[in-house]
Amino acid sequence: MMTNPHQSPQKKKTDVTSPQNGVEQALHPALDRRTIAGIGAVIVLIGSSLFRAFGGPSWLYLPTAFAAAVLIIAGYARINQRLRTTSLVLFAAGIVLVPFAKDPLAAVQRGVFVAGLLLSLTSSVMLIARCAVQSKRIQMIGAGLRERQGTGRYMAFAVTAQFFSGILGLAGANLTFVMAAPAAERPSQVRTDTVVAVSRGFTAASCWSPVFGNMAVLLALYPTLHWIEVFPVGLGVGQLTLIVGALLYRAGSKSLAPPASTPTPITDLLMNAFPLLISLIGFLVLILALSRALHIVVSASIVLMAPLVSLLFNVAMGRDGHRWKDGAKGLGQSMLLFPAMASEAALFLSAGCAGSIMADAFPASWALAAGESLSSHPVFGISFLLIAIMVTALMGIHPVLSSVFLASTMTPELLGMPPIAHMAAILAGWGLSASVTPFSVLSLTASRYSGEGLYQISLGRNAAFAVATSAVVCTLLTAYVLIVA
């Protein structure tokens, strides 16, 4: 999932996506008025999103929009100029199209709620990520994985990145980047290949993980679907991306000399990392069970549980006799990262509202005509969804905008395909666009860790991967539609 497509590599935000322990760089920012306002805004966003998830009234979009605006104002200086311009253009486009929307108020509400849920989910995952980044086992796992060479090293990091990203989103990918490319290691072809493997593992996780913003947005737009129904198809699509990536890597890699020593067996690494793995898997199981028990979306259960998990982690790490005091302090320090999300707030609010209004204003006759031409065979509809998202991402348009627009206009009914296949195609296109466009925070982070130029690490390394994966995904999703039909 992309969260800031226009952030300059020279201007780093102090959040979990900044390379080389960016979390630690933001542990003790000045607690000024802007910081307090930003923290308060995120708390309001979390509260309103949870209230809405439990069936709250439609007027909740007002405090949600106000809190997002406060967050943007509080962190305005942190927002890159190009992102400011993009957000203003999107807001202006939405305002211009409001008179043409069929139900302007409903469209605005939908866009604001999407933005609020994304911001709440991202901030909640940030709390969990800060707990994970304090684990000393992360360095141990990275050292063991780097002992491998060739396809074994590539797959080890791709699978690890999928696991961490699947639990922690972009923060998990950043943890794996740290393991794949430590600061003491010089740039090299092997280092670049490993960084690329991590980015493709993130792409795979984005197709099935419930913690990703794309999953939260799309589930909100497909009211008949639940995450557990999408998971098997999304997981399969994700593994296809890993397989295609590994085959391309193997086809283009040169033979390497055997390692000087036998690498640590994977079983030993798993045993040493077992407590960390169990903790992360346990968190995922907990949020799924909570979602089912309370009848709320998975993203809402993450937002509900993350602060409590972060508090309990910090309590466990606290001093004897002062555990609860240290736990509250640790949670507060983690929340100091919230104001850094001003860029995300500007992007999500502008893209969510503009996309929703555009979809509502799009002439029904145009959508019907396009749908009729694409519905003659499922391969055309699936290809269109995949290509449209990636092409617009290459133009600098965030996938949250194009995906909301496509899911709302080129509906499953219009294209004549099951909702699951329709959603899987959009998920795949969204995930692939994150790796291939130079305007994603994933590409920016991969560029910094690898030492490669932004366009070289995105288009240069992933263009063939995106095309080949799209072809395979399109073929298999088409076969799925034909079998189900």
Side-chain angles (χ1 to χ4, degrees):
M1 175 185 73
M2 296 182 288
T3 58
N4 187 345
H6 298 290
Q7 184 182 344
S8 170
Q10 286 77 29
K11 290 188 176 183
K12 303 177 186 176
K13 288 177 12 181
T14 50
D15 65 3
V16 292
T17 64
S18 300
Q20 306 306 333
N21 60 15
V23 173
E24 281 77 1
Q25 295 174 3
L27 289 183
H28 304 288
L31 191 60
D32 55 17
R33 291 181 179 179
R34 290 182 177 273
T35 301
I36 295 173
I39 294 173
V42 173
I43 292 175
V44 171
L45 285 167
I46 291 175
S48 61
S49 295
L50 289 175
F51 194 7
R52 180 64 178 173
F54 283 102
S58 59
W59 57 258
L60 281 171
Y61 84 97
L62 292 173
T64 302
F66 178 76
V70 170
L71 180 57
I72 294 170
I73 295 171
Y76 189 76
R78 303 170 185 245
I79 305 175
N80 178 268
Q81 182 59 50
R82 291 184 63 188
L83 181 57
R84 294 178 191 174
T85 303
T86 300
S87 300
L88 288 174
V89 169
L90 289 174
F91 272 122
I95 292 173
V96 169
L97 291 173
V98 162
F100 301 96
K102 304 176 188 68
D103 190 343
L105 180 59
V108 171
Q109 288 175 344
R110 185 165 56 248
V112 170
F113 284 134
V114 165
L117 183 61
L118 279 174
L119 289 168
S120 301
L121 180 62
T122 304
S123 60
S124 298
V125 171
M126 187 184 294
L127 295 177
I128 303 300
R130 189 181 179 277
C131 296
V133 82
Q134 296 178 64
S135 171
K136 296 181 180 179
R137 297 178 183 272
I138 294 293
Q139 295 181 353
M140 178 272 298
I141 297 172
L145 295 178
R146 289 195 304 273
E147 294 172 353
R148 285 152 177 77
Q149 291 191 11
T151 306
R153 179 181 176 123
Y154 176 95
M155 284 303 298
F157 274 100
V159 172
T160 301
Q162 180 180 203
F163 174 79
F164 280 108
S165 300
I167 306 296
L168 299 173
L170 188 59
N174 188 74
L175 292 179
T176 319
F177 276 128
V178 172
M179 293 188 283
E185 184 181 80
R186 291 189 174 186
S188 65
Q189 184 62 43
V190 173
R191 180 186 175 105
T192 300
D193 290 340
T194 309
V195 168
V196 169
V198 173
S199 67
R200 292 177 182 175
F202 174 87
T203 297
S206 70
C207 294
W208 60 264
S209 173
V211 307
F212 275 66
N214 58 351
M215 186 68 73
V217 169
L218 292 178
L219 286 175
L221 296 174
Y222 294 80
T224 61
L225 293 179
H226 300 282
W227 177 79
I228 196 64
E229 299 173 277
V230 179
F231 172 70
V233 177
L235 183 65
V237 171
Q239 305 327 296
L240 283 176
T241 66
L242 291 188
I243 293 171
V244 172
L247 292 175
L248 289 175
Y249 170 79
R250 188 174 182 84
S253 64
K254 299 178 181 179
S255 59
L256 299 173
S261 58
T262 303
T264 304
I266 288 293
T267 53
D268 290 353
L269 288 178
L270 289 174
M271 289 299 295
N272 290 331
F274 186 72
L276 177 62
L277 301 179
I278 291 299
S279 298
L280 293 175
I281 293 174
F283 172 69
L284 184 60
V285 172
L286 177 62
I287 62 174
L288 293 176
L290 189 66
S291 171
R292 187 177 183 86
L294 298 179
H295 304 289
I296 56 177
V297 294
V298 174
S299 53
S301 66
I302 295 172
V303 174
L304 183 63
M305 286 301 301
L308 177 60
V309 171
S310 177
L311 174 64
L312 293 178
F313 174 85
N314 285 288
V315 167
M317 298 290 289
R319 300 165 296 168
D320 291 337
H322 300 82
R323 292 190 182 276
W324 286 101
K325 180 180 179 180
D326 290 346
K329 182 179 179 180
L331 176 60
Q333 289 178 338
S334 298
M335 293 172 67
L336 291 176
L337 299 172
F338 287 169
M341 295 177 58
S343 296
E344 282 84 350
L347 180 64
F348 292 156
L349 188 61
S350 60
C353 291
S356 183
I357 292 171
M358 287 178 185
D360 205 49
F362 194 77
S365 58
W366 294 7
L368 183 61
E372 288 177 350
S373 62
L374 293 171
S375 62
S376 58
H377 197 281
V379 69
F380 298 135
I382 294 171
S383 299
F384 176 78
L385 295 175
L386 285 166
I387 294 172
I389 296 174
M390 285 189 286
V391 169
T392 53
L394 288 171
M395 295 167 58
I397 299 175
H398 195 277
V400 71
L401 177 61
S402 54
S403 296
V404 168
F405 178 79
L406 289 172
S408 303
T409 55
M410 298 297 169
T411 61
E413 295 78 15
L414 190 61
L415 296 180
M417 66 177 69
I420 289 181
H422 191 274
M423 183 172 173
I426 293 181
L427 281 172
W430 195 330
L432 290 170
S433 69
S435 64
V436 76
T437 179
F439 300 112
S440 72
V441 75
L442 180 70
S443 295
L444 288 166
T445 307
S447 174
R448 290 193 289 261
Y449 276 107
S450 66
E452 296 277 345
L454 185 56
Y455 282 86
Q456 286 72 24
I457 200 68
S458 56
L459 270 172
R461 295 302 300 267
N462 288 313
F465 163 70
V467 171
T469 304
S470 296
V472 174
V473 169
C474 183
T475 300
L476 293 181
L477 284 180
T478 300
Y480 171 82
V481 172
L482 294 174
I483 291 173
V484 171

